[in-house]
């Protein structure tokens, strides 16, 4: 996939373009709670925390969280728009985190694994920062377990271009299990609707999904024209829902 420099292209609109409603956020927190230990508090890391769309909610639900994010401007937005007394945002990445060893009960990587360049190094670093028995919540798509959101069909090469961003599930699992991890669970989560089709179109126009960086200008123009025509037929209809994968991995 084409690398995205969030310090120059997306940080302004990311929080609005990728915002979750309270209902959507609640569904994800329930899914995370189902695979985490019952004790509280839990020390968490939100790796690839971006503008902090999950970080404060994690702190409310489970305990103190460190948001690890490589893009300075994304961290600036998080610190301004998503502050929390039990949250600290730091510069870092999955490959190198400025936190002590065995510091976390869990790590969330939500929609960020596909940005990791040195995955073997990240697997080792994630193992370093987790406590024994700690869990990694890997919310990412997989090329062979793709949710196929409704709007993708309107873009040239839509499904192909989006799936190409992600690894197949077996490849991700092998990368972890070969380093001593085990699979603790795999399932899907279906968010409530993001709102009307028209509202979803407005958010898509902000182009805060990695998918849009993979298309050329002509493909983007064609795709948005088709999508606008489709939405115009029933703009107030609820945006369709779809199931999204959640892979949980555990250290021995």
């Amino acid at each position: 996939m084409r690398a995205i420099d969030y310090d120059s292209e997306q940080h302004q609109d990311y929080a609005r373009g990728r915002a979750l409603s309270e209902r959507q956020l609640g569904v994800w927190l329930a899914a995370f709670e189902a695979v985490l230990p019952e004790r509280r508090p839990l020390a968490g890391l939100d790796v690839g925390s971006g503008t902090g769309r999950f970080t404060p909610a994690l702190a409310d639900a489970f305990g103190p969280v460190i948001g690890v994010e490589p893009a300075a401007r994304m961290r600036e937005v998080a610190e301004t728009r998503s502050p929390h007394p039990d949250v600290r945002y730091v510069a870092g990445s999955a490959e190198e985190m400025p936190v002590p060893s065995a510091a976390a009960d869990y790590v969330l990587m939500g929609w960020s694994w596909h940005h990791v360049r040195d995955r073997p190094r990240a697997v080792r670093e994630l193992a370093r920062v987790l406590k024994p028995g700690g869990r990694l919540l890997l919310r990412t798509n997989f090329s062979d377990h793709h949710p196929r959101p409704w709007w993708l069909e309107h873009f040239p090469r839509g499904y192909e271009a989006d799936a190409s961003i992600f690894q197949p599930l077996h490849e991700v699992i092998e990368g972890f299990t070969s380093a001593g991890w085990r699979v603790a669970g795999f399932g899907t989560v279906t968010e409530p609707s993001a709102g009307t089709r028209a509202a979803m179109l407005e958010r898509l126009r902000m182009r805060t999904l990695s998918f849009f960086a993979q298309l050329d200008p002509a493909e983007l123009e064609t795709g948005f024209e088709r999508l606008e025509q489709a939405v115009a037929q029933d703009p107030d209809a609820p945006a369709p829902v779809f199931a999204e994968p959640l892979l949980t991995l555990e250290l021995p």
Side-chain angles (χ1 to χ4, degrees), residues 8 15 23 48 71 74 103 110 112 114 136 150 185 193 219 223 231 246:
S8 62
R23 287 185 64 214
M74 296 283 270
S112 59
H114 61 288
L136 169 62
W150 61 277
S193 176
E219 290 173 321
V231 169
L246 176 64

Side-chain angles (χ1 to χ4, degrees), residues 159-172:
Y159 294 126
E160 173 191 349
D162 198 50
S164 70
I165 296 171
F166 306 104
Q167 295 175 277
L169 176 62
H170 71 85
E171 187 175 294
V172 176

Side-chain angles (χ1 to χ4, degrees), residues 89-100:
Y89 297 104
V90 300
S93 66
E95 297 97 329
E96 187 172 358
M97 289 178 259
V99 299

Side-chain angles (χ1 to χ4, degrees), residues 83-250:
H84 189 285
D86 288 327
V87 168
R88 179 165 59 97
Y89 297 104
V90 300
S93 66
E95 297 97 329
E96 187 172 358
M97 289 178 259
V99 299
S101 298
D105 294 297
Y106 75 93
V107 172
L108 171 66
M109 289 196 70
W111 297 265
S112 59
W113 179 252
H114 61 288
H115 291 296
V116 176
R117 293 301 174 192
D118 189 341
R119 287 171 177 147
R121 183 180 175 190
V123 169
R124 295 191 298 271
E125 180 70 347
L126 288 163
R128 181 188 70 81
V129 299
L130 275 172
K131 299 175 182 178
R135 291 198 162 183
L136 169 62
L137 313 180
L138 198 61
R139 167 58 197 103
T140 184
N141 291 337
F142 304 95
S143 60
D144 54 348
H145 288 72
H146 195 281
R148 297 174 73 89
W150 61 277
W151 52 268
L152 265 183
E153 67 184 48
H154 300 289
F155 287 84
R157 302 187 302 112
Y159 294 126
E160 173 191 349
D162 198 50
S164 70
I165 296 171
F166 306 104
Q167 295 175 277
L169 176 62
H170 71 85
E171 187 175 294
V172 176
I173 289 175
E174 171 63 21
F176 281 92
T177 56
S178 64
W181 297 67
R182 75 171 190 91
V183 175
F186 177 74
T188 59
V189 178
T190 301
E191 290 182 2
S193 176
T196 65
R197 289 175 181 255
M200 187 66 191
L201 173 58
E202 287 304 309
R203 292 174 61 182
L204 290 170
R205 285 194 180 112
M206 298 178 194
R207 305 185 187 186
T208 55
L209 295 169
S210 300
F211 163 75
F212 292 116
Q214 314 312 312
L215 302 186
D216 63 38
E219 290 173 321
L220 286 169
E221 182 178 358
T222 297
F224 275 108
E225 286 178 357
R226 293 174 180 172
L227 182 57
E228 286 163 4
Q229 291 169 6
V231 169
Q233 295 176 14
D234 194 358
D236 296 326
V241 299
F242 47 90
E244 303 182 64
L246 176 64
L247 174 63
T248 306
L249 296 145
E250 184 178 59

